[in-house]
Amino acid sequence: MGNTAVVIGGGIGGLAAAIGLRRIGWDVTVVERAPMLDDAGAGISLAANGLRALDELGVGETVRAASRGQYSGGTRTPQGGWLARMDGSALEKAVGTPIMGIPRATLHRLLRDSLPAEALLIGSEAGSVEQIGPGTVRVDCGDTVMDADLVVAADGIGSNVRSRLFPAHPGPAYSGSTVLRAITEQAVDLRTDFELTWGYGAEFGHIALHDGRAEWHAVLDLPTGTRFTDPLAELKSRFRTWHAPIPALLDVTRPAAVLHHDINELRTPLPSYTVGRTALLGDAAHAMTPHLGQGACQALEDAVTLAAALATAPSIEAALARYDAERRPRGQAVARAARQAGRMGQQLSHPLAVALRNTAMRLTPSRATTRLILRHHAWVPPRLK
């Protein structure tokens, strides 16, 4: 009888973990509490490290075909002046690919389609996870109880598994910012593939998608829990004087398409990504702010690293020790870098600090900017096959 695993959480990280485990011969069940996987979400950027992970999972080519390369654009002021230009061709030369933009729903669907339907237990919540012996973990899903050799907790930033494993950990903390985002209803005539615009305590960005539509996001420094009666109307008012194409992107968005979430993070690092035969993965392990666009990429790295360790280590315990040793330093370092990027970017609101940052960015050579990006993008995955 082969090894068995239960993956808790059917998001990008959980599905990727299930694909990786199946590729090394494990029998996997994904438990997702949502009654249906409706592919919700806006857009996502995949950097070279995430794309390489997808290659190892066997879905990289399919994902690339549904994505659009981000070759042109950069960072701007609300008046339209350029602070820094992005050179996607230079990035492609350095790491083999530009950043790719894809609707989150499309990525989620492609990952899900790589798994057999019987591997997905939808509409079932993992009520408890308990190690009942040295080599067995029991997952209680109400009417269904499963015993497995391994549990992978990919149940997101509010992870119930994490809170049970680390009851003294303070859990997620509000970053100080909230994000509204959507995909436009129709194709948009854009001059660039990707842009970020930084104002005082505010950011607006877009990525162009494969079908001509665009994903946009607006990040605002606001008290936690702030909500608007008409979010789209609020954004049109706040960004009405910002440069093109920002007003036009909002104009071709349906009000019902706008998603609004506070940005939370695991500001206090976990002491371990594993406890016994349970491994934490993705946001459950290292939820970070979106300022580097690395959240999903880090979850994909986790998935491949875990599968590779289980395929080659002499025991499951040794594999989990290796997974923690390899993933925890990198995941937590990227989370710190994302937090710092937010503080120096969108979250700056003092006029003098903003002016100093803008001047520094204008004077920084593009080669130096590319080197900074490569710190996170140049990861090479272990081989699964």
Side-chain angles (χ1 to χ4, degrees):
M1 184 176 178
N3 293 114
T4 60
V6 174
V7 176
I8 301 175
I12 290 171
L15 294 173
I19 294 169
L21 291 172
R22 283 179 55 82
R23 282 178 72 82
I24 63 169
W26 282 53
D27 182 25
V28 185
T29 301
V30 178
V31 178
E32 170 55 48
R33 65 183 178 183
M36 60 182 297
L37 296 177
D38 59 359
D39 298 330
I44 190 169
S45 295
L46 293 172
N49 54 320
L51 290 163
R52 290 195 187 104
L54 290 166
D55 288 336
E56 283 303 314
L57 296 174
V59 295
E61 184 176 345
T62 304
V63 170
R64 284 182 174 86
S67 306
R68 174 167 165 169
Q70 310 293 293
Y71 285 97
S72 62
T75 306
R76 306 176 75 174
T77 68
Q79 296 74 36
W82 290 98
L83 298 175
R85 296 272 192 170
M86 180 185 73
D87 188 344
S89 296
L91 192 60
E92 183 175 34
K93 183 177 180 180
V95 293
T97 178
I99 297 169
M100 305 293 288
I102 186 172
R104 182 178 290 269
T106 302
L107 176 60
H108 191 274
R109 174 177 53 79
L110 295 174
L111 292 173
R112 190 182 71 236
D113 289 349
S114 297
L115 294 168
E118 60 268 22
L120 302 173
L121 184 59
I122 308 302
S124 185
E125 185 166 5
S128 66
V129 178
E130 180 183 6
Q131 186 141 348
I132 61 172
T136 305
V137 189
R138 175 164 293 170
V139 180
D140 186 348
C141 299
D143 294 337
T144 304
V145 177
M146 292 175 286
D147 291 344
D149 299 301
L150 172 71
V151 167
V152 179
D155 50 342
I157 188 170
S159 171
N160 290 325
V161 178
R162 183 189 64 236
S163 64
R164 289 195 292 266
L165 295 178
F166 299 100
H169 189 273
Y174 182 52
S175 68
S177 300
T178 193
V179 60
L180 297 95
R181 54 195 166 185
I183 293 177
T184 60
E185 180 71 6
Q186 60 198 55
V188 187
D189 183 17
L190 298 172
R191 296 184 178 181
T192 59
D193 298 316
F194 165 86
E195 287 184 12
L196 287 180
T197 300
W198 285 339
Y200 296 103
E203 171 184 298
F204 195 99
H206 78 254
I207 58 174
L209 301 175
H210 182 68
D211 62 2
R213 294 181 300 160
E215 184 269 357
W216 59 260
H217 70 267
V219 184
L220 306 171
D221 288 352
L222 292 170
T224 182
T226 300
R227 294 296 182 269
F228 307 112
T229 303
D230 187 338
L232 188 58
E234 177 70 24
L235 294 178
K236 287 181 177 180
S237 175
R238 286 176 178 259
F239 294 102
R240 66 184 184 279
T241 62
W242 287 36
H243 67 80
I246 292 172
L249 290 169
L250 296 173
D251 285 340
V252 292
T253 300
R254 289 187 302 110
V258 180
L259 305 173
H260 187 177
H261 298 96
D262 286 345
I263 299 174
N264 297 310
E265 59 173 328
L266 285 189
R267 194 171 299 156
T268 301
L270 290 173
S272 177
Y273 284 2
T274 67
V275 175
R277 288 284 187 98
T278 299
L280 295 168
L281 183 146
D283 281 353
H286 47 63
M288 61 190 68
T289 65
H291 298 99
L292 292 177
Q294 276 288 313
C297 291
Q298 291 303 304
L300 293 169
E301 287 189 20
D302 290 346
V304 173
T305 302
L306 177 61
L310 289 164
T312 57
S315 67
I316 293 175
E317 287 74 18
L320 293 178
R322 182 189 302 175
Y323 169 73
D324 180 60
E326 292 183 10
R327 291 306 307 153
R328 185 156 49 92
R330 176 163 166 83
Q332 292 175 350
V334 174
R336 287 193 301 271
R339 186 180 311 122
Q340 182 63 23
R343 290 173 178 169
M344 295 304 294
Q346 164 260 321
Q347 291 181 325
L348 276 188
S349 58
H350 192 282
L352 179 58
V354 170
L356 289 172
R357 179 208 57 205
N358 289 357
T359 299
M361 289 187 67
R362 290 189 178 103
L363 294 176
T364 301
S366 61
R367 292 189 302 275
T369 302
T370 300
R371 284 197 298 271
L372 288 174
I373 294 173
L374 291 179
R375 290 170 48 201
H376 309 300
H377 292 204
W379 176 83
V380 177
R383 299 303 305 270
L384 295 185
K385 292 275 188 174

